[in-house]
Amino acid sequence: MAKVKVGVAGYGVIGLRLATGVALQEDMELVGVADVAPTLSVRGLVEAGMPYRFYNAMPENEEKLKAAGVPISGSLEDLVEQCDVMLDATNAGVGAKNKELYARMGKKAVFQGGEKNSVADVFFHGYANYEKGLGQQFLKLTSCNTTGLIRAVDALDRAVGVEKVAITIIRRVADPGDYHRGLTNALQMDKAPSHQAVDLMTIMPHVDATGILVHTPVTHGHIITVVASTRKKIDKANTLEILGAHPRIRTVKIEDGFLGNASLFRYARDMGKLRGDLYEIALWDESIVNSGNDIMFAINIPQESVVIPENMDAIRAAMQMQLTRDEGTAMTNRYLGIK
């Protein structure tokens, strides 16, 4: 069976990780990546020996790219023409413009959480609604926080039923290496309900969700606390059994040294993970407690890498490579090395 040909538009924080993810999928072929300028990520690609072909998405920047030593294989249109599906990781709003190109050329595309829901036929999550993405032309992923949150809520919902959730998101303010948010020493409240709760209800409409978000002056990962009201009362042991069985949820303990987000980032680097990336969210064992009939717990979201598996799931659904949630996610997990 011929490999599905995939291109990545936007070679930034998410795009470069999408390229890595696709390259690891043995039933997919990464045709190339596209960007508009010799950014640090693109310069890093050059220093790495150009493992992927590069396509210029902004013709007027060709001389800048050549001056930076970037070999150009063609235009964005040239890349799209060769692909079955595009992963669009461009800045919010750019993907919607690129959609016109994808539609004109009859190609499928997967957009990231920053785009408006209207850009796609399906608001997609690999575990919660895989089958809704089957054969669709345009899919949009949830944000990093929503992606990890849905993994946990969906697992509980399938096991014991979830009626409602209340979340608090302690949100990192920027990605490592970013300066556009400035140098801060403050916490900032966001208005409720947070979009993550609203997005969860869009994908899981039977769950009543609300949430509060607090911006924090850190860069490595978000932490979400979840209070879930389940149809069948569960305790800590039940929760550990249910969530611990999920391939994309890693259970950790404070007593083992996992004190917070920085501990998990360091652990990933110590394991030799490329860029310190973890595909799994982390569930703190000691955070799991009952509040009346509800269950409460805390999870860590590695914002730079958490959505990569669900993007691979989206390709599988759109291209109908696997027809069920279990088969599709299992193939993604296998090639990404998720146990």
Side-chain angles (χ1 to χ4, degrees):
M1 183 177 178
K3 294 184 178 181
V4 168
K5 296 182 182 298
V6 184
V8 175
Y11 195 71
V13 171
I14 298 297
L16 59 86
R17 290 170 168 83
L18 290 175
T20 298
V22 173
L24 290 171
Q25 307 297 302
E26 296 180 11
D27 50 1
M28 301 179 193
E29 176 188 340
L30 178 65
V31 177
V33 301
D35 211 303
V36 298
T39 63
L40 289 183
S41 296
V42 173
R43 291 174 186 271
L45 188 66
V46 175
E47 289 282 349
M50 294 301 296
Y52 317 132
R53 287 188 289 173
F54 180 87
Y55 293 79
N56 180 17
M58 188 173 286
E60 56 267 37
N61 278 355
E62 184 168 344
E63 292 306 316
K64 289 182 180 180
L65 287 161
K66 287 183 177 180
V70 183
I72 301 172
S73 296
S75 65
L76 175 60
E77 289 82 356
D78 294 330
L79 173 60
V80 175
E81 185 178 17
Q82 299 174 68
C83 295
D84 300 307
V85 57
M86 290 293 298
L87 296 179
D88 195 295
T90 56
N91 293 335
V94 177
K97 295 179 181 178
N98 288 344
K99 178 185 175 181
E100 298 174 7
L101 171 64
Y102 307 147
R104 175 163 53 83
M105 300 185 76
K107 304 296 184 176
K108 295 179 184 288
V110 178
F111 301 94
Q112 304 310 302
E115 292 295 332
K116 293 181 179 179
N117 292 356
S118 58
V119 77
D121 304 312
V122 176
F123 197 16
F124 181 85
H125 189 281
Y127 279 89
N129 66 349
Y130 181 92
E131 284 78 10
K132 286 189 176 180
L134 290 174
Q136 297 292 334
Q137 184 174 8
F138 299 120
L139 280 64
K140 186 183 100 78
L141 272 290
T142 54
S143 69
C144 53
N145 272 316
T146 313
T147 297
L149 175 65
I150 289 179
R151 288 182 193 172
V153 175
D154 176 72
L156 287 176
D157 186 47
R158 292 176 186 272
V160 294
V162 175
E163 295 180 342
K164 65 178 182 178
V165 294
I167 64 173
T168 299
I169 300 177
I170 306 162
R171 184 186 187 276
R172 69 90 181 92
V173 72
D175 288 321
D178 284 349
Y179 289 89
H180 66 282
R181 298 291 177 91
L183 304 177
T184 62
N185 183 31
L187 302 178
Q188 181 180 343
M189 289 295 302
D190 211 338
K191 63 181 180 181
S194 67
H195 83 79
Q196 292 84 1
V198 175
D199 289 348
L200 184 146
M201 287 190 290
T202 303
I203 287 185
M204 303 179 68
H206 58 287
V207 176
D208 182 13
T210 192
I212 293 173
L213 185 146
V214 182
H215 299 274
T216 58
V218 299
T219 59
H220 290 118
H222 315 284
I223 292 177
I224 305 179
T225 66
V226 182
V227 180
S229 301
T230 55
R231 291 187 177 89
K232 176 183 177 183
K233 184 177 179 179
I234 55 175
D235 58 15
K236 178 176 179 176
N238 303 136
T239 304
L240 281 170
E241 181 181 4
I242 294 166
L243 298 186
H246 197 295
R248 297 180 192 172
I249 300 177
R250 176 188 293 264
T251 303
V252 299
K253 292 184 177 182
I254 296 171
E255 68 172 291
D256 290 338
F258 292 97
L259 305 182
N261 59 331
S263 305
L264 285 154
F265 184 72
R266 174 181 172 178
Y267 189 62
R269 289 186 297 174
D270 290 346
M271 284 193 291
K273 298 290 186 181
L274 180 62
R275 307 185 188 96
D277 287 346
L278 282 176
Y279 295 128
E280 309 98 310
I281 63 172
L283 165 71
W284 273 282
D285 175 288
E286 295 94 334
S287 73
I288 306 171
V289 293
N290 280 104
S291 175
N293 291 325
D294 298 338
I295 194 72
M296 182 177 182
F297 55 89
I299 53 178
N300 183 81
I301 310 293
Q303 83 278 358
E304 297 174 295
S305 52
V306 69
V307 301
I308 305 308
E310 277 74 10
N311 271 271
M312 304 303 110
D313 299 339
I315 295 171
R316 297 183 180 283
M319 296 302 300
Q320 297 181 288
M321 299 171 70
Q322 288 82 34
L323 300 182
T324 69
R325 157 191 185 270
D326 290 340
E327 292 175 333
T329 58
M331 290 300 289
T332 293
N333 294 344
R334 173 184 172 187
Y335 292 133
L336 291 181
I338 300 172
K339 298 180 181 178

